[in-house]
Amino acid sequence: MNPDEHRPKPQEAAKGLSPGKKLARLRQIVQDVGQAPDLATALSLIVSGIRATMQVEACSVFLSDQAHQHYVLMAAEGLNPEVVGHLQLDLDEGLVGLVAQRRKPVNLRNAPGHPHFQAIPESGEEPYHGFLGVPILHQGELLGVMVVQQSAEKRFRESAVSFLVTLASQLAGAIALSLAHSALSQQSAETADLPTRLDGGAGAPGIAMGTGVVICSPAELEQIPDRATDDPEAEIACLRSAIEHVAAEFDRLAERNDAGLTPEDRALFKAFALIARSSELFEASTQRIRAGHWAPSALRDSILEHSRLFEAMDDPYLRERAHDIRDIGKRLMARLLAEEQQTQPEYPEHSILIGENLSPVDLTSVPSGRLAGVISGHGSSLSHLAILARSLEVPAIMSLAADISLSDLDGKTLIVDGYQGQVHLNPGEPLRNEFRRMQQQEKKLSQDLQQLLDLPAETPDGIRIPLYTNAGLLSDLNHSLAKGAEGIGLYRTEFPFMVRDSFPTEEEQYALYRQVLEAFQPRPVTLRSLDIGGDKALTYFPVQEENPYLGWRGIRISLDHPEIFLTQIRAMLRANAGLGNLNLLLPMISRVEDLDEAIVLINRACHELQEQDDDIQMPRLGAMIEVPAAVYQADELARRVSFLCVGTNDLTQYLLAVDRNNERVAKWFDALHPAVIRALIQVAAAGRRHGKPVSVCGEAAGDPAVALLLLGLGIGSLSLSAGDLLRIKWVIRTFTRQQAEALLGQALNLEQASAIRAMLIRALVDAGLGALVHPGNSN
């Protein structure tokens, strides 16, 4: 084939498209590639779309094959098609290698005259002089290089460079996903003994083997999993009911008498109702159901099919209707899933719970004893989902969404490696045996640690460090007691609020808090007042903010809604009557005014209750140190309360400007950052000056390396997940305070968190505690 056959004429290449049309074409290319069924189709759409839009004579895409240390020409137009898939370049070879090395665009007037030019006669690129190559980068990883070429001996315009760079950045995610799917298909076809490995972030430690169960979200149509049905008529009935329910909603909206509704609005809602009741949509879905698919996946495919028909239309108005189809489809899907879930979902033994954005509520919905592991498409090890998973001692993987469509994992046999943040799909027997060995090592370590159960958390030089547990559900209590918890250092009262559809009454809260306090009496129990906001939302009390972590949350909501706050405080004080083991902790304190106002309300509630019951007493009050402002005012806060409690999760987040739920910046989150250590030193010093104990209740307290530094800092007590209690007790019983202080001194001389962690891990290994930091090893 002659590559000149499809080459644009030189005058066409020079003319170009207007900026507006280029932007529209950019969006169209991104959209088309996102819907491509496989990698080859995606790359073909890219080169054809770029060539037509930029009106260049050649366009090609080289992808990195790191396993074999070269780049492969995967798609091209304007070059010899026979070399596609076969032409390979070393990682530093040619102009493609130059773009890859520089990781920025290379724009040349005369490519053959450049020192890095590598002539490849069979490629068909001899006539070209102008060269523009841009790297394809996804989350810092180089996926490949995108190239356009022209016969004219001149550089490409800056607008062309900007267009190609923009397109490469927007397509990187789609290319990464297509690569992941391609790797899955290839590896599965090659051998069943070498299962696919998917990488994410380590959320909660441990090894789990089980069956994937996807929790569906109507907001992500593409994530609805494929499932079979053996009762198509019941599925069709669910679909019909969902359609009628949604269409009736649109009818009601069209008939409302609101003054703000225009005739155009009413006509739009009537049109939406007609689309929802469309016979084409219903018949396409029922055909798929009768072919053996459950209703949600049948509706998914029908909606996507219809929306793509509109997206392919040339008319802009009709093309925009594709969004309407998708929006209506999401409403239908939400109702259909509600219909489907009226029956209890099937959770097999050893269920691996999977979802794009799982919540703590999803974990608690799994029947007792059936939850083996968790895979979430988003979030990090510091999200409340991961925190709850650690509390339940369930391995968890976070932020897997960039690597695979999670719906593909539904019903599959999986291994979850919570230490490495990896998922193994349909593992062969050799790999299963290896992970069974690791599970045995875990079991042996647990048995060895059990010997510490009745021993105090005391250093060899006699320093007692009480170990408390973090909890949020009644189911946590017995587990915590069985692990030897000396009390509850943090009870997250918001979790019971999150599993309801309305605020609990004072009596309901009283009954709950009484159970918690009685279970641990006389050991102390620290109840934190309601701390919603951020990633802890109440469906019945929505808070919509652009930046929720810097917004209306914690004590701020309580003070703006004293009726909610006082109801909870009254329930806590009543529950403590006759027991006396309540500590009350106030979250998100950033101003002394907020603390003063909260104390006034607590005193008021206490005095009112004391008039009715002599057993009511004022509990010990504590303030959470979790924002930088509280660090700098630790002295002022300490004068007002009985104790300080450092929440390292939020404190680290705010000090380092790292969203702890954002997987893109997870590598910047580290409680051993020198700034965090210096903040902890400042808080501990303030506590000593005022004779007020300082505790740490964040997830860092369960990290052996961090716990070692906290011992050196003179922190009075630690509160951590129940599964970490005996591990941290081992650390405390191994190191003297003097040894820990010496390690703290070494840490303060280091400038990087990674260096500090390496130094502390060496100390743990040298002391014989290597099993805590190298899971799966017996020494």
Side-chain angles (χ1 to χ4, degrees):
M1 178 182 285
N2 183 357
D4 292 333
E5 289 179 5
H6 301 289
R7 183 176 297 157
K9 300 295 187 288
Q11 63 267 27
E12 292 176 340
K15 187 168 67 172
L17 298 175
S18 68
K21 288 184 177 179
K22 272 192 176 181
L23 182 60
R25 284 293 299 149
L26 185 148
R27 290 173 178 164
Q28 190 64 49
I29 293 169
V30 172
Q31 194 170 22
D32 290 345
V33 171
Q35 295 167 357
D38 52 48
L39 178 63
T41 304
L43 296 177
S44 177
L45 288 168
I46 289 172
V47 295
S48 62
I50 292 174
R51 191 181 185 214
T53 303
M54 297 184 69
Q55 297 189 357
V56 293
E57 293 163 86
C59 178
S60 53
V61 174
F62 290 80
L63 293 186
S64 168
D65 183 351
Q66 292 295 332
H68 299 94
Q69 296 290 295
H70 57 229
Y71 294 101
V72 182
L73 177 64
M74 296 297 294
E77 283 199 2
L79 300 178
N80 180 4
E82 294 181 3
V83 300
V84 173
H86 303 287
L87 177 58
Q88 299 177 356
L89 299 173
D90 291 340
L91 295 184
D92 58 353
E93 185 178 1
L95 295 175
V96 170
L98 181 64
V99 175
Q101 285 179 349
R102 293 183 177 179
R103 292 196 169 207
K104 64 180 183 180
V106 172
N107 187 7
L108 302 175
R109 179 180 63 83
N110 181 28
H114 193 278
H116 279 80
F117 180 77
Q118 179 74 42
I120 305 175
E122 66 271 22
S123 67
E125 65 175 348
E126 294 91 341
Y128 304 132
H129 292 85
F131 173 96
L132 173 60
V134 301
I136 306 170
L137 296 165
H138 178 63
Q139 295 185 358
E141 180 185 356
L142 181 68
L143 301 181
V145 175
M146 203 175 283
V147 176
V148 292
Q149 294 168 279
Q150 60 187 4
S151 57
E153 194 170 321
K154 62 180 181 180
R155 288 187 175 88
F156 285 85
R157 294 180 177 179
E158 284 303 311
S159 59
V161 177
S162 176
F163 175 83
L164 200 60
V165 168
T166 302
L167 187 59
S169 65
Q170 294 199 22
L171 289 175
I175 292 174
L177 184 58
S178 294
L179 281 168
H181 278 299
S182 177
L184 269 173
S185 302
Q186 184 178 358
Q187 290 178 12
S188 297
E190 285 176 358
T191 173
D193 293 326
L194 186 62
T196 301
R197 191 191 81 190
L198 308 172
D199 293 324
I207 304 296
M209 301 186 192
T211 304
V213 178
V214 172
I215 302 299
C216 309
S217 168
E220 299 287 344
L221 290 175
E222 288 84 352
Q223 297 297 334
I224 301 298
D226 290 318
R227 288 179 186 164
T229 180
D230 54 6
D231 191 350
E233 294 308 317
E235 294 294 313
I236 291 171
C238 284
L239 175 64
R240 185 179 286 111
S241 174
I243 288 173
E244 189 49 44
H245 185 278
V246 171
E249 281 184 347
F250 286 131
D251 288 336
R252 284 193 293 273
L253 289 171
E255 293 165 4
R256 281 169 56 181
N257 295 320
D258 293 9
L261 276 180
T262 66
E264 290 80 8
D265 294 330
R266 297 181 198 281
L268 179 63
F269 289 134
K270 288 178 181 178
F272 282 1
L274 287 173
I275 293 172
R277 291 193 178 100
S278 151
S279 59
E280 292 90 346
L281 190 62
F282 179 73
E283 288 170 5
S285 299
T286 54
Q287 284 179 7
R288 290 181 166 97
I289 292 172
R290 294 191 192 284
H293 300 279
W294 74 320
S297 65
L299 178 63
R300 173 204 67 197
D301 289 344
S302 300
I303 292 293
L304 295 177
E305 179 183 57
H306 279 68
S307 67
R308 284 167 186 158
L309 287 174
F310 280 90
E311 287 164 354
M313 294 180 179
D314 293 329
D315 185 279
Y317 176 81
L318 292 175
R319 197 161 57 241
E320 190 64 25
R321 301 287 68 78
H323 296 293
D324 295 338
I325 298 290
R326 278 180 167 265
D327 289 342
I328 294 166
K330 290 176 183 178
R331 282 178 173 265
L332 289 169
M333 188 64 74
R335 183 62 197 179
L336 179 58
L337 290 173
E339 296 272 348
E340 291 278 347
Q341 290 169 4
Q342 286 179 1
T343 58
Q344 179 71 17
E346 289 187 14
Y347 293 103
E349 278 193 83
H350 310 297
S351 290
I352 308 292
L353 202 64
I354 304 166
E356 279 296 332
N357 285 289
L358 293 174
S359 73
V361 177
D362 293 318
L363 268 64
T364 58
S365 300
V366 181
S368 177
R370 290 187 174 251
L371 181 62
V374 175
I375 300 172
S376 181
H378 297 285
S380 75
S381 62
L382 273 300
S383 67
H384 282 90
L385 174 72
I387 290 171
L388 180 58
R390 278 196 292 279
S391 176
L392 297 173
E393 296 189 68
V394 173
I397 307 295
M398 312 300 291
S399 65
L400 201 71
D403 299 319
I404 189 171
S405 174
L406 296 188
S407 61
D408 292 342
L409 300 182
D410 192 63
K412 300 295 192 301
T413 300
L414 306 171
I415 292 177
V416 172
D417 181 351
Y419 296 111
Q420 301 298 324
Q422 295 172 348
V423 179
H424 297 269
L425 175 63
N426 293 329
E429 197 58 29
L431 194 63
R432 291 188 193 209
N433 288 336
E434 173 60 20
F435 278 99
R436 288 189 188 108
R437 184 193 69 79
M438 290 184 67
Q439 285 180 319
Q440 287 300 316
Q441 293 292 347
E442 280 188 328
K443 185 177 180 181
K444 182 179 184 304
L445 175 60
S446 295
Q447 290 171 344
D448 292 343
L449 291 175
Q450 204 66 22
Q451 300 173 15
L452 303 177
L453 184 63
D454 297 323
L455 298 175
E458 184 175 302
T459 65
D461 52 348
I463 306 296
R464 280 282 280 117
I465 309 291
L467 294 182
Y468 304 126
T469 188
N470 297 332
L473 301 167
L474 288 176
S475 57
D476 294 335
L477 304 185
N478 288 336
H479 183 54
S480 298
L481 288 167
K483 293 291 184 178
E486 299 177 62
I488 295 180
L490 173 65
Y491 189 87
R492 300 180 174 97
T493 62
E494 58 273 10
F495 282 176
F497 281 70
M498 293 168 68
V499 298
R500 300 172 53 90
D501 55 11
S502 63
F503 282 107
T505 65
E506 181 180 323
E507 288 303 316
E508 289 171 328
Q509 291 186 63
Y510 160 78
L512 171 64
Y513 304 146
R514 185 73 181 184
Q515 278 185 268
V516 177
L517 291 165
E518 284 182 337
F520 276 83
Q521 206 274 339
R523 287 165 283 202
V525 171
T526 301
L527 300 182
R528 183 175 66 187
S529 64
L530 188 61
D531 187 19
I532 56 173
D535 65 341
K536 294 173 290 184
L538 305 182
T539 56
Y540 51 90
F541 190 73
V543 178
Q544 299 295 330
E545 294 180 302
E546 288 187 9
N547 195 337
Y549 286 97
L550 297 181
W552 202 45
R553 58 172 298 199
I555 197 67
R556 298 168 182 176
I557 292 179
S558 295
L559 296 180
D560 281 351
H561 282 276
E563 75 284 3
I564 297 173
F565 184 61
L566 285 170
T567 296
Q568 183 177 41
I569 297 303
R570 285 175 57 88
M572 290 179 178
L573 296 176
R574 288 176 54 208
N576 189 45
L579 298 177
N581 60 329
L582 169 67
N583 296 329
L584 204 165
L585 184 60
L586 300 172
M588 198 64 183
I589 299 295
S590 60
R591 308 187 306 169
V592 292
E593 301 98 306
D594 293 344
L595 182 56
D596 290 341
E597 188 177 345
I599 291 173
V600 168
L601 291 173
I602 294 168
N603 280 323
R604 190 176 95 191
C606 186
H607 293 152
E608 289 174 356
L609 288 170
Q610 284 173 338
E611 292 175 359
Q612 307 165 24
D613 187 343
D614 292 338
D615 284 338
I616 301 295
Q617 57 182 281
M618 190 69 175
R620 295 173 73 247
L621 291 183
M624 287 204 74
I625 308 296
E626 48 190 342
V627 299
V631 173
Y632 292 116
Q633 285 201 295
D635 285 287
E636 289 82 353
L637 299 178
R639 283 198 291 268
R640 289 166 163 80
V641 296
S642 303
F643 65 98
L644 299 176
C645 182
V646 181
T648 53
N649 301 344
D650 274 333
L651 181 59
T652 305
Q653 168 175 252
Y654 292 127
L655 277 172
L656 305 185
V658 176
D659 179 354
R660 69 185 197 180
N661 285 320
N662 185 342
E663 56 266 24
R664 289 185 175 180
V665 296
K667 65 182 179 182
W668 279 279
F669 189 104
D670 197 323
L672 287 175
H673 189 288
V676 179
I677 295 172
R678 287 181 172 86
L680 290 170
I681 290 173
Q682 193 164 332
V683 175
R688 284 193 294 272
R689 280 192 292 272
H690 298 277
K692 304 295 173 65
V694 176
S695 64
V696 170
C697 68
E699 293 305 299
D703 181 334
V706 180
L708 194 46
L709 275 196
L710 297 177
L711 176 61
L713 278 164
I715 298 298
S717 63
L718 304 178
S719 187
L720 50 156
S721 296
D724 292 326
L725 279 167
L726 294 178
R727 297 169 183 260
I728 301 306
K729 184 183 286 190
W730 191 15
V731 174
I732 292 170
R733 291 184 59 85
T734 302
F735 288 86
T736 65
R737 170 65 62 80
Q738 186 176 9
Q739 287 173 314
E741 288 173 345
L743 290 170
L744 174 61
Q746 292 180 46
L748 291 174
N749 290 323
L750 299 173
E751 298 179 346
Q752 298 176 355
S754 58
I756 295 172
R757 183 171 294 279
M759 180 269 292
L760 294 170
I761 287 176
R762 280 198 304 273
L764 290 166
V765 172
D766 290 345
L769 278 65
L772 296 181
V773 292
H774 298 302
N777 293 334
S778 57
N779 48 23

